[in-house]
Amino acid sequence: MRAFFLLLPLLLLACGTASQETHSLSPEAFAARLHEPGAQLIDVRSPGEFNGGHLANATNLDQNAGQVQAYAGSLDKSKPVLLYCASGRRSAAAREFLIGQGFNDVVDLQGGIHAWTAAGKPLGN
């Protein structure tokens, strides 16, 4: 019984990591999802960051300014929502919010736009 309680935290961490990995995609997997019909690509960085370079066809909704929360109602819950930011923190927070609002297919770019450009993926400015 004692062994179970010692292993329980590790099991919980493993489950949390698996769940996060399911919703956070590598640049390659994220790029593949961009071509899905109706995919809604959202850049959750600030307008200044967005203007410095972004993925083609992205809509800018600044997570820190509350725009994701304010405009969630204008997104289609029946279509995929693909989120990204600079490093993955803001997009993960936006993802969790949207899932809480009833969106079923919400993913974010693991490592953000930094990982995207490091993988040699193009920006659409």
Side-chain angles (χ1 to χ4, degrees):
M1 186 68 147
R2 181 178 171 180
F4 172 77
F5 287 110
L6 291 174
L7 292 175
L8 184 60
L10 294 174
L11 292 172
L12 292 174
L13 284 173
C15 290
T17 302
S19 176
Q20 184 175 358
E21 289 174 9
T22 303
H23 297 293
S24 293
L25 303 179
S26 69
E28 293 74 22
F30 193 85
R33 299 256 354 236
L34 291 174
H35 303 291
E36 291 181 15
Q40 303 168 98
L41 179 60
I42 311 295
D43 183 324
V44 300
R45 300 176 300 154
S46 70
E49 290 172 297
F50 182 81
N51 291 335
H54 56 272
L55 276 61
N57 303 313
T59 299
N60 184 218
L61 296 177
D62 187 346
Q63 168 68 14
N64 289 343
Q67 291 181 338
V68 172
Q69 294 78 1
Y71 292 97
S74 67
L75 298 173
D76 188 338
K77 289 183 180 181
S78 69
K79 295 181 180 172
V81 179
L82 288 71
L83 305 165
Y84 72 93
C85 64
S87 66
R89 287 187 184 144
R90 288 174 282 182
S91 59
R95 179 191 73 225
E96 293 305 314
F97 170 78
L98 292 174
I99 289 171
Q101 296 299 303
F103 288 81
N104 294 317
D105 189 3
V106 185
V107 296
D108 67 306
L109 176 59
Q110 186 176 38
I113 201 165
H114 296 307
W116 180 266
T117 56
K121 303 287 184 196
L123 296 178
N125 298 16

